[in-house]
Amino acid sequence: MNRRTLIKWFSRAIGWTCACIVAIPGIRFITEPLRRRSSGGGITQRVVQLANLRVGEPVQTTITGSRQDAWVRYDQETIGRVYLVRETDDTVPPEQSKVKAFTAVCPHLGCAVQFDAGAKTFNCPCHKAFFELSGNPVSDSELGYRNPTPRGMDSLECQVVQEGGTGEWWVEVTYEKFEYGLTTKTPRA
Amino acid sequence: MLKKFRDWLDDRTGYRNVVRPLQRRVLPTGPKWGHATANTLLWMMLTVVITGVLMMASYSPSTTSAWSSVHYIDQNSAGAFLRGLHFYGSHAMIILFAIHTLRVLVVAAFRAPHEIVWITGLLLMPMVVVWAITGNPLSATQRGFSQIEVEGNIIASTPVIGPIIQRLLIGGDEVGNLTLTHLYSLHIFVFPLLVGLLLAIHLHQVYRHGLGSSPDDGSGGPARPYWPYQTVRNMTVFGITFSIVAVLAWRQGAPLDAPADPDLPHWTRPEWYFLFLFELRRYFGGSWEFIATAVIPGVALLLLIGMPAIDRMASKRMSAVFRGAIILAGVVAWGTLTGASVWRDWGDKEHQSLTAELEGHAERARELADRDGISPAGAISLLRNDSQTQGPRLFRQHCVSCHSHVDTNGEGIVAEEPSAPNLYRFASREWLAGMLDPEACASESYYGNTEFAEGDMVGSVQDTLADLDDDGKASLAQLIAALSAEAMLSSQAALDEQARADGTIELGVAAMVEEFACIECHKIGDEGELGAAPDLTGYGSADWLRALISNPEHERFYPDTNDRMPAFSASDGDSSRNLLTEHDLDLLIRWLRGDGEHQPVGATSGPDENASTEAGQGGRGPMRQLPTYRLIRTRHPRPRLMTPPNPSPTISCLHRSHLRGKLCGIGTV
Ligand code: FES
């Protein structure tokens, strides 16, 4: 290796080293959102008394919690909305009664699903997805067009539990978020 | 002097070597109007960049301050105009770009040696569109945030890399502060830089190879210098375009939607130039959507990039046919898809009412920001603390499954199956007159569809109030005045004041106690007992409503006879357990009562409120004492004659219409 090649390589090395010293933390910094995953798992909350639910009349409740948005933390924010659909009436003892919980987030692209009390269907105003009370998508033939949703409404884990002190029966929901647009319900990593 | 300076400058910089060839540039086939679009596009881009830089001086990218700072820009008429130029200028750029590309395609200006001009131009087009898109959410509006959210999800539907790009763009799971800072850096630096670089190559190539007007189109004239023959055409077209943009900016201004709030309904339509993609996606199901959003546009772009090669292989005729077909297909496809989307929304009542609602929110937010200013919590709190906005929303969410809220014209929030009273102007004199009317009280506007239809109240109204003589009618009117005064409705303040002064209220209370014997079931003040029927003390007042909605089965209301009304806020303290948070409950009540929202939510309005709040929530606090007027007088200290029976200035328009309103129709609703 002669002198000229050496100093060429030497210059290149200095340049590239310095570039890397900027680029590596640069890439790490910019891609930080990829590594910062939401805490995972859901939050479990008692949302409503069983006595306040009626069969065939879904009730929307809110899930509150704290939310971190980059450098701001919001306390007691509404972080999700949940529809509760009671399936068994008062003739069934509370511990055996069935309540279904659906997140109000549309599985298509994440708009807020609404409930139409007249038609007894859930619908999403964004691209007109329709769901039955059971959460299943309304069939294309019934709609007259292709239902844009890839799957039914996302159900959430939901239990009827008795409160220690008061003996009241409460509905407890574990709130989670799911990926949009997939045919199967996949929790967000 | 000036000449000397120029000579000196040229000696040091040699700028004449650069400028002179530009000045002496000659167009071999003469000037053309068609060339003017490209130049107009450049000037328009310059306008947009300059106005953008000016706005940067007042813009602050964060979820709490973005909307506020944009609104601040708008509050200055010059700022509003600049923002308008920026906004309409960017739309004009996209239109000009489309025209420019079509023209180049028509005259086959991509032919050798213009391939690089053509390709850089084609790459510039989507880049400019994306550049524009990164600007839309910067004002942190509901519309902008919904759009970026959906755009992010569209990106994410591309296999493998989609989700990564989405996360990097949004800056996490949800649209928020990082979304704004990311988009901001893209919008003001990265895209201008990339566009600038490509544009430099593009223009350098144009300069090097001349304008690509095809020699075979036969329209060539004699050679002319560019300046001023082409320039005058350029400036004319630019002048016209700029005037349109300026007039729009001046008359219309750039829109500013309501501040983004995940609790408000989402805006669901993209910008007009993307409607075609929005429509196209409808035809592809689930995980195939990326075909519509990535594959089809990608293939179209590749096809266009390959045009110079295709053109060289085909005969002149074939190429012309092919280009014609592409243009036709492109324009027709874009037009039909866009048209179909617009057409669908046109016929979609629901979409229109949603749009109207969102526009109402936008207007209201600006109005509130102008009137009260914006707190450090940010623009989001404007509407969140506004009963006029939240009231109807909460009512729709929680109450409409049983209650309606419609005026005599049937306008308002209509329950599909009303099974409880219509709450429009609840506890006002009109409302009470209806409830105490033998026919109306059993109608669906009151108790017709409840268990109480067969109950004692409806029964006694029908028995005792059916055939009243004139005296009886007079004392019924007094009763109504007295009971309605308990509600302390701001819209009735003047009437209540008058009734109190002329003794109507005292007579009315006496009628409740004696003549009509309401106290047999109801409690009012010290008279009567709790348990059989709702407490009439403070009937319809904010505290009474708060207590009732919180827990209708409280002993003050329907301990044993509650029909179906849920307890919305029964557990104190832990608001996550309640169907309604205290804040929401407050807003709902404020709206139901038509109270102005000029006092911040949560603030107490007077000494009496504390006392009765206690009574309302705990049920154990001291009940308010009769006579009522003493307490009420402390709330409305205005002398009677100075208060006109018309709306006071603090009452907003909503309430004004209430006041103007006809009496609640009896048995007609
Ligand atoms: S997001 Fe619900 S239908 Fe598209």
Side-chain angles (χ1 to χ4, degrees), chain A residues 106-113 124-129 131 148-149, chain B residues 281:
Chain A
C106 180
H108 178 228
L109 282 177
C111 288
V113 173
C124 176
C126 287
H127 316 98
K128 306 274 167 211
F131 307 91
T149 185
Chain B
R281 277 174 49 223

Side-chain angles (χ1 to χ4, degrees), chain B residues 443-455:
Chain B
S443 76
E444 73 166 27
S445 297
Y446 289 92
Y447 294 109
N449 291 342
T450 66
E451 283 177 6
F452 305 117
E454 311 289 305

Side-chain angles (χ1 to χ4, degrees), chain B residues 362-390:
Chain B
E363 215 167 286
R364 180 75 180 151
R366 293 195 299 262
E367 183 187 320
L368 288 169
D370 285 338
R371 199 188 66 191
D372 305 337
I374 299 168
S375 77
I380 194 172
S381 54
L382 288 173
L383 294 183
R384 280 207 174 164
N385 293 340
D386 177 34
S387 58
Q388 197 178 307
T389 308
Q390 301 297 337

Side-chain angles (χ1 to χ4, degrees), chain B residues 91-124:
Chain B
H91 286 267
M93 265 171 70
I94 290 171
I95 298 174
L96 287 166
F97 221 127
I99 296 175
H100 179 48
T101 314
L102 284 181
R103 202 193 77 86
V104 170
L105 204 55
V106 169
V107 301
F110 49 75
R111 286 189 180 138
H114 292 99
E115 297 93 335
I116 296 184
V117 181
W118 173 242
I119 292 171
T120 46
L122 281 178
L123 294 179
L124 272 169

